[in-house]
Amino acid sequence: MFETAEIGRRIDRDTYHRALPRLRRDLIDLQEQLQRAHFPVIVLLEGVDNAVKGELINTLGNWLDSRAVDFTAFGAKTDEERSRPRFWRYWRGLPAAGRIGVFHSSWYSGTLIQRALHDLPADAFEHHMHRINALEALLSREGALLLKFWLHMSAERQRAYFEALARDPRGRWLTSELDRRLNEQHEQACAAGEWAIHLTDHASAPWIVVEAQDSAYRNLTVGHILRDGLQQRLDVGPEVPPQTPVPAADPVSPTDTVLQHLDLRQHLDKPEYRRHKRALGRSLTAATWRAHHHGVSLVVVLEGWDAAGKGGAIRRLLQGIDARLARVIQVGPPSDEERAHPYLWRFWRHLPRDGHVTIYDRSWYGRVLVERVRGLTPEARWREAYAEINDFEDQLIAHGTALVKCFLHIDADEQLRRFRARQRTPHKRHKLTDEDWEDRALRPDYEKAVHEMVTHTSTGQSPWHLIAANDKRHARVEVMRHVLDTLQQRLGPEARP
Amino acid sequence: MFETAEIGRRIDRDTYHRALPRLRRDLIDLQEQLQRAHFPVIVLLEGVDNAVKGELINTLGNWLDSRAVDFTAFGAKTDEERSRPRFWRYWRGLPAAGRIGVFHSSWYSGTLIQRALHDLPADAFEHHMHRINALEALLSREGALLLKFWLHMSAERQRAYFEALARDPRGRWLTSELDRRLNEQHEQACAAGEWAIHLTDHASAPWIVVEAQDSAYRNLTVGHILRDGLQQRLDVGPEVPPQTPVPAADPVSPTDTVLQHLDLRQHLDKPEYRRHKRALGRSLTAATWRAHHHGVSLVVVLEGWDAAGKGGAIRRLLQGIDARLARVIQVGPPSDEERAHPYLWRFWRHLPRDGHVTIYDRSWYGRVLVERVRGLTPEARWREAYAEINDFEDQLIAHGTALVKCFLHIDADEQLRRFRARQRTPHKRHKLTDEDWEDRALRPDYEKAVHEMVTHTSTGQSPWHLIAANDKRHARVEVMRHVLDTLQQRLGPEARP
């Protein structure tokens, strides 16, 4: 694979300086257009050592308008990063729409290094590459332009380069112990790179291998590809064509969904309710503190019809969880910073640290519910979200998070009763909006969407709990029970003191 | 001070339940109004142990609309928090406008504990309280409603309460080792609290001492005060009356400012420039890496006229700083999340971690420059910003950050030449906006504002460097020199290997 990048290509000084003014002007022009377009550009640099990447980045820093470019390096993880799923730091570092993010190291780096230096097992390596494929596919579907550069140097060139750096007084800053070790293991590093490229080279996120020894050739090549890629993407216009075929919809009749098989007569009387609530609350307190001490995080997703009692269920749940540990994220319209990122970004940013709890009052499932039913997102995009969401939740679970998903179900009559009651109760009136009435009219579509959501995203490791909520007491206790069960299962039996 | 909170006030069950519906309705109504008003509510809870606070917070959680309230606890610092100035975590946790933030522990807690248990010296304690006064004054000037509750229990009551908890199976979760120690040192804890209240009790951020043993009395009192405080603040309307008298403006004539004493003929020829730039760049590389290894952060503020060459100076500076260490923050119009917080929030959020560099391309000084000149902020507010900014910078320096502030000065003729050149150069044309021409017309006002900014915010520990920038080469080298000098001074002489 890298033979084509060891043929000694160079560009002489004159040619370089003749090409430069045009390239720089183009890049600045395109950056200006990019700021009005609604997508981000992500440039990954992998391959050579830090010194070469540093030179290239300085050059790009000179060429680009510094107002709309971020240079990001992912070094040692902070404890806030360590205590969340692995990709959290990358989501956190994604450039906003209209900006270019140049990643000095990326989601490839750690795994490549582990493979080159520490014999990371093949399946772990491949697994990580599949995660990357999922992430990059999502980013590209969300409109991002991804350019992945592999900057290559032959073993001899790299060695010579290192020896030259060793004589430079700045050398000790520009290269690290890690660089030296990777240089010694050049063959393994290249093998890991080849394999990574092999597994992750897609039309929507292509690898570009660049011969790196001659700085003029390297800079100009990267610059030209960045320019041409940006130009092409801007020419496409605001609409990203659907890159995935739309799968056939499930043949669901809105009158025969999984919701209709739920027995809505389930209920609890007051004394029973109080007894259960108290017992579950105490167990929850113990379990969440135990989780805290074991560094296990908990994510609770609450979905359901308007007026199904999500708020009330959350309040009862919180009575069992110390306020120091829990956070409720109310999912409403996104802020402009959220809108400038892929849709999962706003959920990633609120993931709890190890030992903490985030309750999402509505969630990423909005993508396949409200956004689907109200036509806010094209079918190809929300259909793809099933896989995107599954991948996201897999990452939570792989990190060790306990994940609980509850859908509170009430029938249309009960909803109407509650809407009317809200209208009559002054301090509840604000909860009822025109949109709620509109959504009510769209109920058959929503039922179908819920049914398909369950089909596509209820798995053994993260099942959907459909909860009969015509009786609020029953629903609240059920939510507490599912949260408690999931958490206890995740924690295993408590050691006897 | 706490005698008034040891008289055994209680509310009987019936009274409590009669008062509740009205209170809850009012709170929900007010929260709804709050969401349309443009200010945040900050509720601090201090005094009693975690178990009592936890009960109160659960009650508030039941009463308030969970969609617009955040309960925040500041526990052990994360390393991201430790590696930034002390108040960074509190800025990070501030509620946005329209929301209520209930702080389970706050900027008081750590210092109170240290004083009660570890004999924190009096001057350190007082110093911290003065910092708090500055923060709370700023928040209140920015429109925040601050309610600080001191929940008090007498020594005997607290002891009895603890013994009861010890018999409760949940007790071991609800109280910590720290609570037990504070309980044992009840007298010292109260003394520290009294002193803190004494130093920080202001009309704009009042302390409310509440007798805490009877839960009905405690909950209802806090609830009523929250309600009444919110109601009063909403009645005032969107405009916060200026709480500080406007000091007399400096008698500055725009034709005799500090800028006019700068010799704009200073220049460098090309060979000199190249020599200096190379030498300074190398030293900068070494110094920034040394700072990285010593955990010293660097903040560079660049201000100056439009077209004064800030971007170019930053690019030259970055040639000496590894891309992994540095970040440029381009300060433009705030995002909606930024607009929903006090103006300094957007600068706090980008402060570098220890060992890293943030370059602000324009900065918090916009408050006393563009916002002043264009009348975007009332005089009482921007005048107060001098003290707010000084306090902010003091905190950076107290944390150990190296802070460099440069103002690039060019005369009006040079600016016009550069504007015209920009118009002629295609890839620079985008840099020139209508606002730049408008600002040019406001130049006398800006000169005055710069003069006053230097008067009020150039101090021995964080001086303003006014840099003659008619010659770009001179200016770039001067910026590099000031950054290098400040950093080297901060680091001290390098140990000989």
Side-chain angles (χ1 to χ4, degrees), chain A residues 274-305:
Chain A
R274 287 215 176 120
R275 204 173 55 248
H276 283 302
K277 197 180 69 160
R278 187 169 315 124
L280 285 166
R282 283 172 184 233
S283 303
L284 254 177
T285 306
T288 45
W289 275 113
R290 193 149 72 91
H292 183 71
H293 289 291
H294 286 84
V296 168
S297 54
L298 169 65
V299 168
V300 179
V301 170
L302 270 190
E303 292 283 351
W305 302 104

Side-chain angles (χ1 to χ4, degrees), chain A residues 215-235:
Chain A
S215 66
Y217 174 78
R218 176 219 307 151
N219 294 348
L220 220 50
T221 305
V222 170
H224 280 139
I225 291 170
L226 176 57
R227 177 190 67 183
D228 298 344
L230 195 44
Q231 182 68 66
Q232 277 170 33
R233 179 66 187 75
L234 283 164
D235 289 345

Side-chain angles (χ1 to χ4, degrees), chain A residues 275-418:
Chain A
R275 204 173 55 248
H276 283 302
K277 197 180 69 160
R278 187 169 315 124
L280 285 166
R282 283 172 184 233
S283 303
L284 254 177
T285 306
T288 45
W289 275 113
R290 193 149 72 91
H292 183 71
H293 289 291
H294 286 84
V296 168
S297 54
L298 169 65
V299 168
V300 179
V301 170
L302 270 190
E303 292 283 351
W305 302 104
D306 293 321
K310 291 190 296 296
I314 288 173
R315 277 203 297 279
R316 296 332 177 277
L317 200 54
L318 285 175
Q319 287 174 0
I321 307 177
D322 195 291
R324 282 168 291 179
L325 305 182
R327 195 157 168 216
V328 181
I329 301 299
Q330 188 78 33
V331 178
S335 71
D336 57 10
E337 292 184 32
E338 289 171 340
R339 232 182 288 270
H341 288 90
Y343 76 101
L344 282 174
W345 186 80
R346 57 196 297 229
F347 307 106
W348 272 98
R349 73 192 292 214
H350 293 303
L351 283 185
R353 304 190 61 199
D354 288 346
H356 291 254
V357 180
T358 300
I359 300 170
Y360 290 93
D361 183 357
R362 300 202 189 275
S363 69
W364 43 92
Y365 284 99
R367 190 73 163 180
V368 294
L369 297 174
V370 59
E371 291 185 36
R372 164 187 177 162
V373 172
R374 288 181 165 264
L376 305 173
T377 300
E379 181 162 2
R381 284 300 295 119
W382 63 253
R383 283 222 173 269
E384 195 60 40
Y386 294 132
E388 291 165 354
I389 286 172
N390 283 333
D391 179 67
F392 172 52
E393 293 181 356
D394 283 353
Q395 292 186 61
L396 298 187
I397 289 160
H399 178 71
T401 301
L403 172 64
V404 191
K405 307 187 292 193
C406 296
F407 185 93
L408 300 191
H409 180 46
I410 54 176
D411 59 33
D413 294 346
E414 177 63 24
Q415 190 184 42
L416 188 60
R417 262 193 299 280
R418 293 190 188 178

Side-chain angles (χ1 to χ4, degrees), chain A residues 19-29 62-64, chain B residues 315 427:
Chain A
L20 222 48
R22 170 78 197 279
L23 173 61
R24 294 184 61 169
R25 197 173 56 234
D26 288 350
L27 282 171
I28 294 284
D29 273 355
N62 263 308
W63 292 350
L64 296 166
Chain B
R315 277 203 298 280
H427 72 278

Side-chain angles (χ1 to χ4, degrees), chain B residues 88-143:
Chain B
W88 186 74
R89 63 196 317 222
Y90 304 119
W91 277 90
R92 197 184 185 193
L94 288 179
R99 300 183 69 80
I100 300 178
V102 180
F103 287 0
H104 180 279
S105 55
S106 70
W107 36 81
Y108 289 94
S109 316
T111 305
L112 288 172
I113 291 167
Q114 274 191 294
R115 178 72 188 171
L117 300 184
H118 305 292
D119 276 338
L120 182 74
D123 54 354
F125 184 86
E126 293 206 352
H127 180 68
H128 186 72
M129 293 303 144
H130 291 310
R131 278 260 183 285
I132 288 179
N133 275 334
L135 171 64
E136 293 181 349
L138 179 150
L139 293 174
S140 121
R141 281 190 298 263
E142 288 280 285

